[in-house]
Amino acid sequence: VQLQACGGGLVQAGGSLRLSCAASGRAFSNYIMGWFRQAPGKEREVVAAINRSGGSTAYADSVKGRFTISRDNAKNTVYLQMNSLKPEDTAVYYCAADNIRGPLIRSPGQYAYWGQGTQVTVSS
């Protein structure tokens, strides 16, 4: 599966952005989808994940209550709605896909497919 992320940009603290990740290739609904982020000098970290049907989601503690992951299997797209953004949310955001069953929250190394990153910058 090939992934293409978009939707990043520059936003003021307290603002919102919606990231999208479009998939092409094999059946999108076979994949668990995740969003990760990586800030300069830091390791890539999980932000959110969603199961194949979209009925189950999981979030990093740092974004709970502010970010929402969702998917539209008919459109082969996963979304990350980001509200109440903070300067510490500034990072390159990546979407990822994996078709191995297991916990939703998993390390970057456990995802087989990655999109290119999209930059999110939150100004104070």
Side-chain angles (χ1 to χ4, degrees):
V1 62
Q2 292 80 43
L3 304 174
Q4 181 79 27
C6 64
L10 173 64
V11 64
Q12 289 188 333
S16 298
L17 281 174
R18 188 175 84 153
L19 306 183
S20 299
C21 175
S24 60
R26 297 181 181 178
F28 177 70
S29 60
N30 287 343
Y31 294 88
I32 291 170
M33 299 298 298
W35 283 99
F36 289 76
R37 66 186 181 187
Q38 188 166 17
K42 295 188 177 181
E43 293 185 353
R44 191 168 298 190
E45 63 176 4
V46 64
V47 174
I50 190 166
N51 72 344
R52 292 168 176 81
S53 68
S56 182
T57 58
Y59 298 92
D61 288 343
S62 58
V63 306
K64 280 181 182 176
R66 300 188 298 122
F67 290 12
T68 303
I69 188 171
S70 62
R71 67 190 297 163
D72 186 337
N73 285 344
K75 294 183 178 180
N76 288 359
T77 302
V78 62
Y79 305 97
L80 186 68
Q81 178 67 44
M82 305 185 294
N83 298 329
S84 302
L85 282 161
K86 304 176 181 179
E88 51 263 44
D89 295 318
T90 295
V92 178
Y93 284 70
Y94 300 88
C95 58
D98 193 68
N99 61 359
I100 303 298
R101 295 187 181 276
L104 283 182
I105 295 296
R106 54 186 70 179
S107 67
Q110 293 176 292
Y111 276 86
Y113 305 97
W114 289 86
Q116 91 294 353
T118 184
Q119 176 71 46
V120 172
T121 303
V122 184
S123 63
S124 56

